[in-house]
Amino acid sequence: MQKPTESELNILHILWEKGASNVREVNEVLNESAVRQGKSAEIGYTTTLKIMQIMFEKGLVTREEDGRTHRYSAAVKEQDTKGLLLQNFVESTFRGAAMDLVIQALGDHTANQDELDKIKALIAEMEKNNDKAT
């Protein structure tokens, strides 16, 4: 799988959330998001169309004809994409040291009790799986 650009990732998020959509629907969501983020420049329809055509060529989306329009769907799974991006980030930023990423993330963030409970549960599950593997 090719690593999506930031613009492509924004479109994938929309397709993962909404499911199959045409270019106009995706473009509307992108512009609504831009307004919420305080960005003044509108994303043009043709820009969104071009990005989605490139995504189709890269295999990131599938395309089906629906009358005169095309409906696009994500061809990659959200979890797989997040894993690839995280792996690339850890390799390039932390030289492959995932523990450094975890320490940095937890050190820069005040976790609430719910988050701490989830982290503890994850650690317990990992320890359980390690015990089974040995």
Side-chain angles (χ1 to χ4, degrees):
M1 168 190 350
Q2 289 191 34
K3 177 183 164 191
T5 66
E6 184 177 343
S7 295
E8 292 169 344
L9 188 58
N10 289 337
I11 290 170
L12 283 171
H13 280 293
I14 294 166
L15 296 175
W16 288 325
E17 185 178 319
K18 290 181 56 109
S21 303
N22 64 38
V23 176
R24 186 155 316 282
E25 293 167 334
V26 170
N27 186 252
E28 287 173 4
V29 174
L30 287 172
N31 282 311
E32 289 167 6
S33 178
V35 167
R36 281 194 307 274
Q37 294 173 12
K39 297 177 183 173
S40 58
E42 185 173 292
I43 300 162
Y45 173 87
T46 55
T47 301
T48 303
L49 173 62
K50 184 63 178 170
I51 293 169
M52 293 178 77
Q53 289 171 335
I54 292 168
M55 292 173 72
F56 176 72
E57 292 169 9
K58 290 169 107 177
L60 295 173
V61 297
T62 60
R63 180 173 66 196
E64 291 184 23
E65 283 193 41
D66 182 20
R68 291 178 36 197
T69 62
H70 289 106
R71 295 194 65 74
Y72 291 83
S73 298
V76 293
K77 295 180 180 171
E78 183 174 9
Q79 203 60 34
D80 293 345
T81 304
K82 286 179 179 179
L84 172 69
L85 292 172
L86 182 59
Q87 180 181 351
N88 288 343
F89 179 74
V90 170
E91 287 297 324
S92 65
T93 307
F94 293 95
R95 297 186 179 154
M99 181 53 66
D100 290 348
L101 167 67
V102 172
I103 291 169
Q104 181 76 38
L106 292 176
D108 288 350
H109 174 72
T110 304
N112 63 38
Q113 191 59 49
D114 183 51
E115 291 171 323
L116 291 172
D117 291 343
K118 288 178 182 177
I119 292 167
K120 289 175 188 175
L122 177 61
I123 291 170
E125 183 67 26
M126 292 173 77
E127 288 174 337
K128 187 171 125 181
N129 289 339
N130 273 350
D131 290 343
K132 287 180 183 178
T134 55

